[in-house]
PDB file of all heavy atoms in Angstrom:
ATOM      1  N   SER A  28       0.836  -1.198   0.011  1.00  0.00           N
ATOM      2  CA  SER A  28       0.040  -0.028   0.000  1.00  0.00           C
ATOM      3  C   SER A  28       0.879   1.254   0.011  1.00  0.00           C
ATOM      4  O   SER A  28       0.554   2.212  -0.707  1.00  0.00           O
ATOM      5  CB  SER A  28      -0.909  -0.018   1.205  1.00  0.00           C
ATOM      6  OG  SER A  28      -1.776  -1.124   1.151  1.00  0.00           O
ATOM      7  N   VAL A  29       1.943   1.248   0.754  1.00  0.00           N
ATOM      8  CA  VAL A  29       2.874   2.384   0.742  1.00  0.00           C
ATOM      9  C   VAL A  29       3.482   2.541  -0.596  1.00  0.00           C
ATOM     10  O   VAL A  29       3.625   3.652  -1.121  1.00  0.00           O
ATOM     11  CB  VAL A  29       3.985   2.182   1.842  1.00  0.00           C
ATOM     12  CG1 VAL A  29       5.083   3.180   1.658  1.00  0.00           C
ATOM     13  CG2 VAL A  29       3.363   2.290   3.222  1.00  0.00           C
ATOM     14  N   CYS A  30       3.882   1.432  -1.269  1.00  0.00           N
ATOM     15  CA  CYS A  30       4.442   1.490  -2.625  1.00  0.00           C
ATOM     16  C   CYS A  30       3.396   2.141  -3.570  1.00  0.00           C
ATOM     17  O   CYS A  30       3.726   2.923  -4.490  1.00  0.00           O
ATOM     18  CB  CYS A  30       4.794   0.091  -3.110  1.00  0.00           C
ATOM     19  SG  CYS A  30       6.227  -0.595  -2.251  1.00  0.00           S
ATOM     20  N   GLY A  31       2.145   1.721  -3.441  1.00  0.00           N
ATOM     21  CA  GLY A  31       1.085   2.260  -4.264  1.00  0.00           C
ATOM     22  C   GLY A  31       0.910   3.797  -4.048  1.00  0.00           C
ATOM     23  O   GLY A  31       0.741   4.527  -5.042  1.00  0.00           O
ATOM     24  N   LEU A  32       0.964   4.200  -2.834  1.00  0.00           N
ATOM     25  CA  LEU A  32       0.800   5.628  -2.515  1.00  0.00           C
ATOM     26  C   LEU A  32       2.019   6.428  -3.046  1.00  0.00           C
ATOM     27  O   LEU A  32       1.863   7.524  -3.605  1.00  0.00           O
ATOM     28  CB  LEU A  32       0.694   5.845  -1.040  1.00  0.00           C
ATOM     29  CG  LEU A  32      -0.677   5.374  -0.416  1.00  0.00           C
ATOM     30  CD1 LEU A  32      -0.635   5.476   1.097  1.00  0.00           C
ATOM     31  CD2 LEU A  32      -1.846   6.141  -1.001  1.00  0.00           C
ATOM     32  N   VAL A  33       3.204   5.880  -2.929  1.00  0.00           N
ATOM     33  CA  VAL A  33       4.383   6.577  -3.467  1.00  0.00           C
ATOM     34  C   VAL A  33       4.293   6.658  -4.976  1.00  0.00           C
ATOM     35  O   VAL A  33       4.596   7.714  -5.573  1.00  0.00           O
ATOM     36  CB  VAL A  33       5.709   5.859  -3.008  1.00  0.00           C
ATOM     37  CG1 VAL A  33       6.892   6.354  -3.834  1.00  0.00           C
ATOM     38  CG2 VAL A  33       5.901   6.009  -1.541  1.00  0.00           C
ATOM     39  N   SER A  34       3.908   5.583  -5.616  1.00  0.00           N
ATOM     40  CA  SER A  34       3.761   5.582  -7.077  1.00  0.00           C
ATOM     41  C   SER A  34       2.685   6.569  -7.522  1.00  0.00           C
ATOM     42  O   SER A  34       2.807   7.177  -8.607  1.00  0.00           O
ATOM     43  CB  SER A  34       3.515   4.168  -7.620  1.00  0.00           C
ATOM     44  OG  SER A  34       2.239   3.738  -7.275  1.00  0.00           O
ATOM     45  N   LEU A  35       1.619   6.658  -6.802  1.00  0.00           N
ATOM     46  CA  LEU A  35       0.570   7.610  -7.129  1.00  0.00           C
ATOM     47  C   LEU A  35       1.060   9.047  -6.988  1.00  0.00           C
ATOM     48  O   LEU A  35       0.754   9.929  -7.876  1.00  0.00           O
ATOM     49  CB  LEU A  35      -0.689   7.388  -6.251  1.00  0.00           C
ATOM     50  CG  LEU A  35      -1.852   8.355  -6.523  1.00  0.00           C
ATOM     51  CD1 LEU A  35      -2.387   8.141  -7.900  1.00  0.00           C
ATOM     52  CD2 LEU A  35      -2.936   8.099  -5.459  1.00  0.00           C
ATOM     53  N   ALA A  36       1.825   9.324  -5.985  1.00  0.00           N
ATOM     54  CA  ALA A  36       2.353  10.683  -5.733  1.00  0.00           C
ATOM     55  C   ALA A  36       3.269  11.159  -6.865  1.00  0.00           C
ATOM     56  O   ALA A  36       3.232  12.314  -7.191  1.00  0.00           O
ATOM     57  CB  ALA A  36       3.074  10.725  -4.383  1.00  0.00           C
ATOM     58  N   VAL A  37       4.047  10.233  -7.401  1.00  0.00           N
ATOM     59  CA  VAL A  37       5.008  10.677  -8.411  1.00  0.00           C
ATOM     60  C   VAL A  37       4.524  10.403  -9.862  1.00  0.00           C
ATOM     61  O   VAL A  37       5.198  10.613 -10.800  1.00  0.00           O
ATOM     62  CB  VAL A  37       6.400   9.955  -8.221  1.00  0.00           C
ATOM     63  CG1 VAL A  37       7.024  10.331  -6.933  1.00  0.00           C
ATOM     64  CG2 VAL A  37       6.273   8.431  -8.368  1.00  0.00           C
ATOM     65  N   TRP A  38       3.252   9.927 -10.000  1.00  0.00           N
ATOM     66  CA  TRP A  38       2.758   9.670 -11.319  1.00  0.00           C
ATOM     67  C   TRP A  38       2.363  10.929 -12.098  1.00  0.00           C
ATOM     68  O   TRP A  38       2.567  11.028 -13.305  1.00  0.00           O
ATOM     69  CB  TRP A  38       1.492   8.751 -11.223  1.00  0.00           C
ATOM     70  CG  TRP A  38       0.933   8.495 -12.549  1.00  0.00           C
ATOM     71  CD1 TRP A  38       1.421   7.647 -13.560  1.00  0.00           C
ATOM     72  CD2 TRP A  38      -0.338   9.027 -13.048  1.00  0.00           C
ATOM     73  NE1 TRP A  38       0.582   7.675 -14.663  1.00  0.00           N
ATOM     74  CE2 TRP A  38      -0.499   8.502 -14.389  1.00  0.00           C
ATOM     75  CE3 TRP A  38      -1.288   9.886 -12.587  1.00  0.00           C
ATOM     76  CZ2 TRP A  38      -1.602   8.871 -15.177  1.00  0.00           C
ATOM     77  CZ3 TRP A  38      -2.381  10.178 -13.357  1.00  0.00           C
ATOM     78  CH2 TRP A  38      -2.507   9.681 -14.623  1.00  0.00           C
ATOM     79  N   PHE A  39       1.855  11.964 -11.397  1.00  0.00           N
ATOM     80  CA  PHE A  39       1.442  13.199 -12.061  1.00  0.00           C
ATOM     81  C   PHE A  39       2.625  13.902 -12.705  1.00  0.00           C
ATOM     82  O   PHE A  39       3.684  13.986 -12.132  1.00  0.00           O
ATOM     83  CB  PHE A  39       0.747  14.106 -11.040  1.00  0.00           C
ATOM     84  CG  PHE A  39      -0.528  13.510 -10.469  1.00  0.00           C
ATOM     85  CD1 PHE A  39      -0.502  12.879  -9.211  1.00  0.00           C
ATOM     86  CD2 PHE A  39      -1.658  13.459 -11.185  1.00  0.00           C
ATOM     87  CE1 PHE A  39      -1.580  12.265  -8.689  1.00  0.00           C
ATOM     88  CE2 PHE A  39      -2.840  12.888 -10.665  1.00  0.00           C
ATOM     89  CZ  PHE A  39      -2.789  12.316  -9.404  1.00  0.00           C
ATOM     90  N   PRO A  40       2.420  14.449 -13.910  1.00  0.00           N
ATOM     91  CA  PRO A  40       3.487  15.090 -14.685  1.00  0.00           C
ATOM     92  C   PRO A  40       4.174  16.192 -13.890  1.00  0.00           C
ATOM     93  O   PRO A  40       5.397  16.383 -14.027  1.00  0.00           O
ATOM     94  CB  PRO A  40       2.793  15.606 -15.925  1.00  0.00           C
ATOM     95  CG  PRO A  40       1.575  14.792 -16.082  1.00  0.00           C
ATOM     96  CD  PRO A  40       1.134  14.372 -14.700  1.00  0.00           C
ATOM     97  N   GLN A  41       3.451  16.909 -13.068  1.00  0.00           N
ATOM     98  CA  GLN A  41       4.021  18.020 -12.338  1.00  0.00           C
ATOM     99  C   GLN A  41       5.072  17.524 -11.332  1.00  0.00           C
ATOM    100  O   GLN A  41       5.975  18.278 -10.968  1.00  0.00           O
ATOM    101  CB  GLN A  41       2.909  18.773 -11.562  1.00  0.00           C
ATOM    102  CG  GLN A  41       1.882  19.432 -12.413  1.00  0.00           C
ATOM    103  CD  GLN A  41       0.725  18.486 -12.739  1.00  0.00           C
ATOM    104  OE1 GLN A  41       0.793  17.293 -12.528  1.00  0.00           O
ATOM    105  NE2 GLN A  41      -0.317  19.020 -13.271  1.00  0.00           N
ATOM    106  N   VAL A  42       4.951  16.287 -10.871  1.00  0.00           N
ATOM    107  CA  VAL A  42       5.908  15.696  -9.932  1.00  0.00           C
ATOM    108  C   VAL A  42       6.902  14.826 -10.715  1.00  0.00           C
ATOM    109  O   VAL A  42       8.073  14.806 -10.374  1.00  0.00           O
ATOM    110  CB  VAL A  42       5.180  14.860  -8.877  1.00  0.00           C
ATOM    111  CG1 VAL A  42       6.149  14.240  -7.927  1.00  0.00           C
ATOM    112  CG2 VAL A  42       4.171  15.738  -8.164  1.00  0.00           C
ATOM    113  N   ASN A  43       6.430  14.100 -11.736  1.00  0.00           N
ATOM    114  CA  ASN A  43       7.258  13.163 -12.465  1.00  0.00           C
ATOM    115  C   ASN A  43       8.428  13.793 -13.128  1.00  0.00           C
ATOM    116  O   ASN A  43       9.575  13.300 -13.068  1.00  0.00           O
ATOM    117  CB  ASN A  43       6.391  12.384 -13.488  1.00  0.00           C
ATOM    118  CG  ASN A  43       7.081  11.216 -14.075  1.00  0.00           C
ATOM    119  OD1 ASN A  43       8.276  11.037 -13.934  1.00  0.00           O
ATOM    120  ND2 ASN A  43       6.327  10.403 -14.751  1.00  0.00           N
ATOM    121  N   GLU A  44       8.192  14.943 -13.788  1.00  0.00           N
ATOM    122  CA  GLU A  44       9.278  15.601 -14.466  1.00  0.00           C
ATOM    123  C   GLU A  44      10.432  16.062 -13.581  1.00  0.00           C
ATOM    124  O   GLU A  44      11.584  15.748 -13.822  1.00  0.00           O
ATOM    125  CB  GLU A  44       8.743  16.807 -15.323  1.00  0.00           C
ATOM    126  CG  GLU A  44       7.914  16.369 -16.495  1.00  0.00           C
ATOM    127  CD  GLU A  44       8.648  15.534 -17.534  1.00  0.00           C
ATOM    128  OE1 GLU A  44       9.837  15.887 -17.824  1.00  0.00           O
ATOM    129  OE2 GLU A  44       8.084  14.603 -18.044  1.00  0.00           O
ATOM    130  N   PRO A  45      10.104  16.768 -12.451  1.00  0.00           N
ATOM    131  CA  PRO A  45      11.163  17.125 -11.578  1.00  0.00           C
ATOM    132  C   PRO A  45      11.955  15.918 -10.906  1.00  0.00           C
ATOM    133  O   PRO A  45      13.112  15.971 -10.678  1.00  0.00           O
ATOM    134  CB  PRO A  45      10.508  17.964 -10.476  1.00  0.00           C
ATOM    135  CG  PRO A  45       9.234  18.433 -11.128  1.00  0.00           C
ATOM    136  CD  PRO A  45       8.866  17.380 -12.090  1.00  0.00           C
ATOM    137  N   VAL A  46      11.185  14.884 -10.673  1.00  0.00           N
ATOM    138  CA  VAL A  46      11.840  13.678 -10.101  1.00  0.00           C
ATOM    139  C   VAL A  46      12.767  13.058 -11.079  1.00  0.00           C
ATOM    140  O   VAL A  46      13.884  12.638 -10.697  1.00  0.00           O
ATOM    141  CB  VAL A  46      10.710  12.645  -9.632  1.00  0.00           C
ATOM    142  CG1 VAL A  46      11.362  11.276  -9.338  1.00  0.00           C
ATOM    143  CG2 VAL A  46      10.005  13.141  -8.409  1.00  0.00           C
ATOM    144  N   HIS A  47      12.423  13.032 -12.342  1.00  0.00           N
ATOM    145  CA  HIS A  47      13.366  12.430 -13.359  1.00  0.00           C
ATOM    146  C   HIS A  47      14.635  13.293 -13.449  1.00  0.00           C
ATOM    147  O   HIS A  47      15.692  12.738 -13.778  1.00  0.00           O
ATOM    148  CB  HIS A  47      12.714  12.359 -14.712  1.00  0.00           C
ATOM    149  CG  HIS A  47      12.075  10.989 -14.963  1.00  0.00           C
ATOM    150  ND1 HIS A  47      12.782   9.889 -15.206  1.00  0.00           N
ATOM    151  CD2 HIS A  47      10.781  10.632 -14.942  1.00  0.00           C
ATOM    152  CE1 HIS A  47      12.006   8.840 -15.344  1.00  0.00           C
ATOM    153  NE2 HIS A  47      10.741   9.270 -15.185  1.00  0.00           N
ATOM    154  N   ASP A  48      14.526  14.598 -13.209  1.00  0.00           N
ATOM    155  CA  ASP A  48      15.667  15.449 -13.264  1.00  0.00           C
ATOM    156  C   ASP A  48      16.338  15.616 -11.915  1.00  0.00           C
ATOM    157  O   ASP A  48      17.309  16.429 -11.820  1.00  0.00           O
ATOM    158  CB  ASP A  48      15.258  16.787 -13.858  1.00  0.00           C
ATOM    159  CG  ASP A  48      14.663  16.660 -15.282  1.00  0.00           C
ATOM    160  OD1 ASP A  48      15.114  15.740 -16.003  1.00  0.00           O
ATOM    161  OD2 ASP A  48      13.792  17.423 -15.657  1.00  0.00           O
ATOM    162  N   ALA A  49      15.852  15.028 -10.886  1.00  0.00           N
ATOM    163  CA  ALA A  49      16.364  15.215  -9.552  1.00  0.00           C
ATOM    164  C   ALA A  49      17.695  14.473  -9.306  1.00  0.00           C
ATOM    165  O   ALA A  49      18.123  13.674 -10.179  1.00  0.00           O
ATOM    166  CB  ALA A  49      15.347  14.755  -8.543  1.00  0.00           C
ATOM    167  N   GLU A  50      18.231  14.745  -8.199  1.00  0.00           N
ATOM    168  CA  GLU A  50      19.481  14.111  -7.825  1.00  0.00           C
ATOM    169  C   GLU A  50      19.242  12.615  -7.531  1.00  0.00           C
ATOM    170  O   GLU A  50      18.129  12.193  -7.262  1.00  0.00           O
ATOM    171  CB  GLU A  50      20.123  14.780  -6.631  1.00  0.00           C
ATOM    172  CG  GLU A  50      20.659  16.139  -6.935  1.00  0.00           C
ATOM    173  CD  GLU A  50      21.628  16.575  -5.843  1.00  0.00           C
ATOM    174  OE1 GLU A  50      22.264  15.722  -5.190  1.00  0.00           O
ATOM    175  OE2 GLU A  50      21.759  17.757  -5.729  1.00  0.00           O
ATOM    176  N   LEU A  51      20.314  11.839  -7.570  1.00  0.00           N
ATOM    177  CA  LEU A  51      20.259  10.382  -7.370  1.00  0.00           C
ATOM    178  C   LEU A  51      19.631  10.075  -6.000  1.00  0.00           C
ATOM    179  O   LEU A  51      18.889   9.096  -5.931  1.00  0.00           O
ATOM    180  CB  LEU A  51      21.692   9.852  -7.489  1.00  0.00           C
ATOM    181  CG  LEU A  51      21.838   8.374  -7.148  1.00  0.00           C
ATOM    182  CD1 LEU A  51      21.105   7.521  -8.172  1.00  0.00           C
ATOM    183  CD2 LEU A  51      23.280   7.972  -7.094  1.00  0.00           C
ATOM    184  N   ALA A  52      19.950  10.832  -5.017  1.00  0.00           N
ATOM    185  CA  ALA A  52      19.476  10.487  -3.692  1.00  0.00           C
ATOM    186  C   ALA A  52      17.946  10.421  -3.590  1.00  0.00           C
ATOM    187  O   ALA A  52      17.340   9.546  -2.964  1.00  0.00           O
ATOM    188  CB  ALA A  52      19.964  11.499  -2.641  1.00  0.00           C
ATOM    189  N   LEU A  53      17.243  11.368  -4.275  1.00  0.00           N
ATOM    190  CA  LEU A  53      15.797  11.400  -4.289  1.00  0.00           C
ATOM    191  C   LEU A  53      15.228  10.154  -5.059  1.00  0.00           C
ATOM    192  O   LEU A  53      14.333   9.484  -4.603  1.00  0.00           O
ATOM    193  CB  LEU A  53      15.222  12.663  -4.855  1.00  0.00           C
ATOM    194  CG  LEU A  53      13.708  12.765  -4.972  1.00  0.00           C
ATOM    195  CD1 LEU A  53      13.092  12.665  -3.595  1.00  0.00           C
ATOM    196  CD2 LEU A  53      13.313  14.059  -5.652  1.00  0.00           C
ATOM    197  N   LYS A  54      15.837   9.856  -6.201  1.00  0.00           N
ATOM    198  CA  LYS A  54      15.379   8.719  -7.015  1.00  0.00           C
ATOM    199  C   LYS A  54      15.605   7.445  -6.202  1.00  0.00           C
ATOM    200  O   LYS A  54      14.722   6.541  -6.236  1.00  0.00           O
ATOM    201  CB  LYS A  54      16.113   8.657  -8.334  1.00  0.00           C
ATOM    202  CG  LYS A  54      15.862   9.760  -9.265  1.00  0.00           C
ATOM    203  CD  LYS A  54      16.698   9.644 -10.488  1.00  0.00           C
ATOM    204  CE  LYS A  54      16.612  10.845 -11.370  1.00  0.00           C
ATOM    205  NZ  LYS A  54      17.491  10.685 -12.578  1.00  0.00           N
ATOM    206  N   TRP A  55      16.756   7.336  -5.542  1.00  0.00           N
ATOM    207  CA  TRP A  55      17.026   6.157  -4.739  1.00  0.00           C
ATOM    208  C   TRP A  55      16.031   6.028  -3.598  1.00  0.00           C
ATOM    209  O   TRP A  55      15.509   4.924  -3.357  1.00  0.00           O
ATOM    210  CB  TRP A  55      18.422   6.286  -4.193  1.00  0.00           C
ATOM    211  CG  TRP A  55      18.856   5.193  -3.269  1.00  0.00           C
ATOM    212  CD1 TRP A  55      19.095   3.869  -3.602  1.00  0.00           C
ATOM    213  CD2 TRP A  55      19.039   5.276  -1.853  1.00  0.00           C
ATOM    214  NE1 TRP A  55      19.453   3.174  -2.454  1.00  0.00           N
ATOM    215  CE2 TRP A  55      19.407   4.027  -1.365  1.00  0.00           C
ATOM    216  CE3 TRP A  55      18.896   6.374  -0.958  1.00  0.00           C
ATOM    217  CZ2 TRP A  55      19.657   3.808  -0.036  1.00  0.00           C
ATOM    218  CZ3 TRP A  55      19.145   6.123   0.366  1.00  0.00           C
ATOM    219  CH2 TRP A  55      19.529   4.822   0.829  1.00  0.00           C
ATOM    220  N   ALA A  56      15.717   7.115  -2.920  1.00  0.00           N
ATOM    221  CA  ALA A  56      14.777   7.092  -1.815  1.00  0.00           C
ATOM    222  C   ALA A  56      13.411   6.619  -2.272  1.00  0.00           C
ATOM    223  O   ALA A  56      12.663   5.929  -1.557  1.00  0.00           O
ATOM    224  CB  ALA A  56      14.680   8.462  -1.112  1.00  0.00           C
ATOM    225  N   LEU A  57      12.970   7.075  -3.459  1.00  0.00           N
ATOM    226  CA  LEU A  57      11.680   6.677  -4.011  1.00  0.00           C
ATOM    227  C   LEU A  57      11.609   5.215  -4.378  1.00  0.00           C
ATOM    228  O   LEU A  57      10.545   4.628  -4.467  1.00  0.00           O
ATOM    229  CB  LEU A  57      11.254   7.588  -5.183  1.00  0.00           C
ATOM    230  CG  LEU A  57      10.967   9.062  -4.840  1.00  0.00           C
ATOM    231  CD1 LEU A  57      10.783   9.844  -6.072  1.00  0.00           C
ATOM    232  CD2 LEU A  57       9.735   9.121  -3.920  1.00  0.00           C
TER     233      LEU A  57
END
């Protein structure tokens, strides 16, 4: 359920684009 909530949070384009361009630490944490 936590995995589903995290995936929902980063699915929206407004969040997805910055996450793809973010530092490695954030991608790793997600």
Side-chain angles (χ1 to χ4, degrees):
S28 299
V29 169
C30 290
L32 290 173
V33 169
S34 71
L35 180 63
V37 298
W38 177 73
F39 296 100
Q41 299 87 346
V42 179
N43 191 347
E44 291 298 320
V46 165
H47 267 287
D48 299 330
E50 289 197 26
L51 173 66
L53 178 61
K54 294 178 188 177
W55 174 73
L57 290 172

